[in-house]
Amino acid sequence: MKKTAGAAVGLFACGPLLLAVPILAVGASSASASCSTDGTQAVDTAAVAAQVKAILDGGGKGTVSVPGLEAPAEQVPNAKTIQATGVAMNIPPRGQIVALATALQESGLRNLTYGDRDSLGLFQQRPSQGWGTASEILDPVHASTSFYTALEKVSGWQSMTVTQAAQAVQQSGFPGAYAKWEPLATALQKAIAPLLGQAGGASPSPSPSGSGSTGTAPPSTTGGCSSGGDGSGFGTIPPGAVPAGYTIPTDASPQAQTAIRWAMGQLGTPYQWGGSCTNSHGADPMGRCDCSSLMQQAYKAAGVTLTRTTYTQVNEGQPVSVDALQPGDLVFTAGSDGTAANPGHVGLYMGSGLIINAPHTGAVVSIESLASWKSQIVAVRRVL
């Protein structure tokens, strides 16, 4: 925590000045992902399909009644499949709404066997444009998986409007057409969510151990693919969630493991500038965490004393190169209220290219990728 008047807005901040700047939490989202040589993530569509079936069999058969649908008997099952695929891939509710709005515009939520030129299916995807064979595109799970995979490749999609995100994937000749479907897509997502284990449409909170649960176990993933890397292989992590496949590194020191585990226990709790992080799950806002109190209390749990603010924590321990990061290291950025010499934001390196931090007012304690931080890092300190 550090607060100075008149500071310029930066990428991360312990203080409340960052409200206008979206923070994209980056991490795992694609089910059964595996690392490829070009650094991209391949989605195991068979694993996603199996997970979708389990989700739908487990509760997706419930009744949904949403005004505005012309043929609900046909449209609702397709909407459930699109949304269940999003759940299986750990796509946050916002992404599910984008997908539903897209399908409403492109096909009216009908699995069409025809369309413009060779367009087919719920999203009117074209075999000639690499979306798959005609039979694959007409499989609602495959079509939905393809849509979400493309959406996650759109840089910053979570901060876009629904129509901007949909258009970035679809490249439609009518780029503004998706906006009118957002209210109906939102209503559908909220109505279907409880049937799929999404209470109120919100992403489930992880357990203190970081295992997390949505009621059904997600397909396994290799995530960042190694204890190092920059975390980009995980895809997009919903705020407050744990990337599928992440485990606390067993080769980290016991104190680092304890600090990481304690910090993960605060995931999903609201940020509070100046908060002590002594009771982040309680009703008193001042018991919640800001960036530096999260570091202080995580290490207190491990038996290590840290000072309270970013500009003193940056002098703790020993300096370390970004290329030599180890689990438990403190990672600093200038933030919105600091400088390279006096950083205003700090996070805890978890291994596997991931950083846990309390980002800013209006956000929750979350995990982000080293890749999303790397260009902003001004210091790394090893306190063990």
Side-chain angles (χ1 to χ4, degrees):
M1 177 196 69
K2 177 173 180 267
K3 186 174 182 181
T4 56
V9 174
L11 180 62
F12 295 101
C14 278
L17 301 178
L18 194 58
L19 293 174
V21 181
I23 297 291
L24 299 181
V26 180
S29 56
S30 295
S32 271
S34 61
C35 285
S36 62
T37 55
D38 63 0
T40 60
Q41 208 175 37
V43 177
D44 185 339
T45 55
V48 173
Q51 178 70 357
V52 170
K53 183 178 186 303
I55 292 169
L56 293 176
D57 288 348
K61 299 183 184 300
T63 301
V64 171
S65 178
V66 176
L69 296 175
E70 296 178 353
E74 180 182 5
Q75 293 168 304
V76 168
N78 288 329
K80 287 181 180 178
T81 299
I82 291 170
Q83 194 160 328
T85 305
V87 173
M89 297 177 67
N90 288 335
I91 303 296
R94 179 71 170 174
Q96 298 166 23
I97 292 169
V98 172
L100 291 168
T102 301
L104 281 163
Q105 167 60 26
E106 298 291 354
S107 68
L109 269 175
R110 296 173 172 89
N111 197 22
L112 301 178
T113 58
Y114 58 87
D116 178 49
R117 288 169 283 189
D118 58 338
S119 299
L120 296 167
L122 291 169
F123 298 94
Q124 289 292 280
Q125 295 159 337
R126 298 177 61 191
S128 63
Q129 300 300 307
W131 289 97
T133 66
S135 61
E136 287 174 334
I137 291 172
L138 289 171
D139 174 0
V141 176
H142 178 94
S144 301
T145 302
S146 297
F147 179 86
Y148 287 127
T149 300
L151 178 65
E152 291 199 286
K153 293 179 180 178
V154 177
S155 178
W157 72 265
Q158 288 187 337
S159 63
M160 296 178 179
T161 65
V162 166
T163 196
Q164 287 172 335
Q167 173 63 9
V169 173
Q170 298 294 104
Q171 298 295 305
S172 170
F174 305 93
Y178 305 101
K180 64 185 178 185
W181 297 109
E182 182 173 355
L184 181 54
T186 302
L188 271 170
Q189 195 279 332
K190 289 183 177 179
I192 294 170
L195 302 180
L196 308 184
Q198 293 179 287
S203 298
S205 297
S207 67
S209 67
S211 60
S213 175
T214 61
T216 52
S220 63
T221 173
T222 57
C225 306
S226 69
S227 60
D230 64 3
S232 58
F234 281 110
T236 302
I237 311 172
V242 179
Y246 171 79
T247 58
I248 297 173
T250 56
D251 57 352
S253 71
Q255 288 173 309
Q257 292 185 43
T258 298
I260 293 167
R261 186 175 295 108
W262 192 93
M264 290 176 69
Q266 319 315 309
L267 282 167
T269 61
Y271 173 96
Q272 175 62 51
W273 187 87
S276 65
C277 203
T278 53
N279 186 16
S280 67
H281 296 275
D284 181 4
M286 296 313 295
R288 299 169 185 165
C289 308
D290 65 16
C291 67
S292 54
S293 65
L294 178 63
M295 303 301 104
Q296 184 186 49
Q297 295 303 317
Y299 263 106
K300 181 178 180 180
V304 177
T305 299
L306 294 183
T307 53
R308 175 62 183 86
T309 65
T310 54
Y311 62 90
T312 56
Q313 288 177 357
V314 76
N315 296 314
E316 306 256 6
Q318 301 296 321
V320 179
S321 165
V322 174
D323 296 329
L325 274 168
Q326 292 182 6
D329 288 345
L330 302 181
V331 185
F332 295 83
T333 68
S336 69
D337 57 350
T339 65
N342 293 288
H345 189 70
V346 62
L348 178 65
Y349 185 64
M350 304 169 62
S352 298
L354 298 174
I355 296 172
I356 187 168
N357 74 123
H360 58 89
T361 299
V364 298
V365 176
S366 295
I367 296 172
E368 298 164 3
S369 73
L370 176 61
S372 67
W373 280 52
K374 207 161 190 178
S375 66
Q376 305 293 323
I377 293 173
V378 298
V380 177
R381 304 294 291 196
R382 184 162 298 154
V383 297
L384 294 176

